[in-house]
Amino acid sequence: MDHETSTGHITRKAVLRAALAAGMAAPAVLMGVPALARTLTAGEAAPALTPECDDGDDPTVPQTEGPYFKPNSPLRTSLAESGTPGIRLTVSGYVFGLACRPISGVLLDFWQADTNGAYDNTGFRFRGHQFTDAQGAFKLTTIVPGLYPGRTRHLHVKLQAPGRPVLTTQLYFPNEPRNNTDTIFDPRLLMTVRDAGGAREAAFDFVLNVPQAPGPSPTATPTATPTGSPGGTWAAGTAYRAGDSVTYGGLGYACLQAHTAQAGWEPPNVPALWRVR
């Protein structure tokens, strides 16, 4: 799961997610993790990096596949066809291994109920598989699944890294009344969801139990650290909170996750941290 912790600290995977979205190399961005991973009090030293994705997130927990899984789903990133009823939903994220490094070529097989809570057990409606790209990213276009007796809203997914065992699990929506009564529901599998002009956008980062060596230590290249933004209020070194507003390059941005700004993390470059107002 990729969100702030209960103390408001941004997770290490959130930093990597933002870096990957900005086109930065994962090992290089780890140089800035201590400053961004959590808010430091006066006089407190930055924590040492660990070789595992151990900032409160264990490998993604497995869950039952349920009775409706079908093999041989089509290869596609969109499960919503033209005219399909339902609220449009985009789910995006990354797949990491135990060293917080993204994994390319991971198979993700999604299936879900339609807007009425029914599964297609004869064909492949709302079923499809895809693979993570070179940055370990995936993106699914679908609809918000409907409800059926005994369950809250959820998406099913199977993941398999090359040559590794299959992880079967489910993803959930926050603030659903049935989350409190669904005996299968697990809050560790909650997506981060926001409204987007009549549709919804969700994010979730998976951690697979895949051993990885820590990334190489890059050679630091001295760069000038800007103190402000051209024609804007964003400034490196500023501690921003979720909901804060800045301007940069003539556009206004809203902060999505608490962090301390630094060079290379200007709002247009890190959609995981800022969105256009």
Side-chain angles (χ1 to χ4, degrees):
M1 191 168 72
D2 181 50
H3 55 50
E4 292 178 53
T5 65
S6 59
T7 58
H9 301 150
I10 187 170
T11 67
R12 188 171 279 114
K13 291 198 309 302
V15 176
L16 286 164
R17 156 187 268 273
L20 291 167
M24 300 172 64
V29 77
L30 284 175
M31 295 179 65
V33 169
L36 291 178
R38 60 190 183 94
T39 303
L40 300 178
T41 58
E44 184 181 3
L49 292 180
T50 62
E52 295 185 347
C53 245
D54 193 15
D55 50 11
D57 294 314
D58 293 322
T60 303
V61 295
Q63 288 211 314
T64 176
E65 72 175 28
Y68 302 120
F69 173 71
K70 288 182 60 177
N72 303 317
S73 68
L75 174 64
R76 57 186 177 187
T77 59
S78 177
L79 307 185
E81 301 174 355
S82 178
T84 300
I87 299 173
R88 287 298 186 268
L89 171 69
T90 301
V91 183
S92 61
Y94 294 88
V95 180
F96 295 101
L98 293 179
C100 271
R101 298 175 65 187
I103 309 175
S104 63
V106 175
L107 168 68
L108 298 98
D109 196 344
F110 292 96
W111 72 102
Q112 67 171 85
D114 64 17
T115 192
N116 297 315
Y119 288 84
D120 179 9
N121 296 316
T122 57
F124 289 94
R125 292 180 62 249
F126 295 109
R127 300 176 184 271
H129 73 271
Q130 60 179 278
F131 297 87
T132 56
D133 64 15
Q135 287 73 46
F138 70 91
K139 185 174 182 180
L140 175 72
T141 302
T142 183
I143 64 166
V144 176
L147 295 168
Y148 57 92
R151 294 303 316 275
T152 189
R153 297 186 201 277
H154 61 281
L155 303 173
H156 293 271
V157 60
K158 288 179 178 286
L159 299 93
Q160 185 174 26
R164 302 294 299 180
V166 174
L167 168 69
T168 301
T169 192
Q170 302 182 34
L171 299 180
Y172 296 98
F173 296 77
N175 304 315
E176 286 286 334
R178 290 197 186 180
N179 289 351
N180 297 322
T181 58
D182 188 329
T183 58
I184 301 176
F185 169 77
D186 190 324
R188 294 172 293 179
L189 296 169
L190 280 168
M191 297 182 289
T192 300
V193 182
R194 67 183 179 117
D195 293 329
R200 292 185 184 177
E201 294 178 349
F204 191 92
D205 293 337
F206 297 92
V207 178
L208 296 183
N209 191 14
V210 174
Q212 295 174 316
S217 298
T219 301
T221 301
T223 56
T225 300
T227 57
S229 303
T233 60
W234 180 90
T238 303
Y240 291 107
R241 298 172 300 178
D244 285 351
S245 298
V246 300
T247 56
Y248 185 89
L251 296 176
Y253 293 87
C255 181
L256 298 177
Q257 302 191 70
H259 68 285
T260 299
Q262 61 176 284
W265 296 82
E266 293 83 358
N269 297 333
V270 281
L273 299 180
W274 297 97
R275 66 175 171 82
V276 178
R277 296 183 63 88

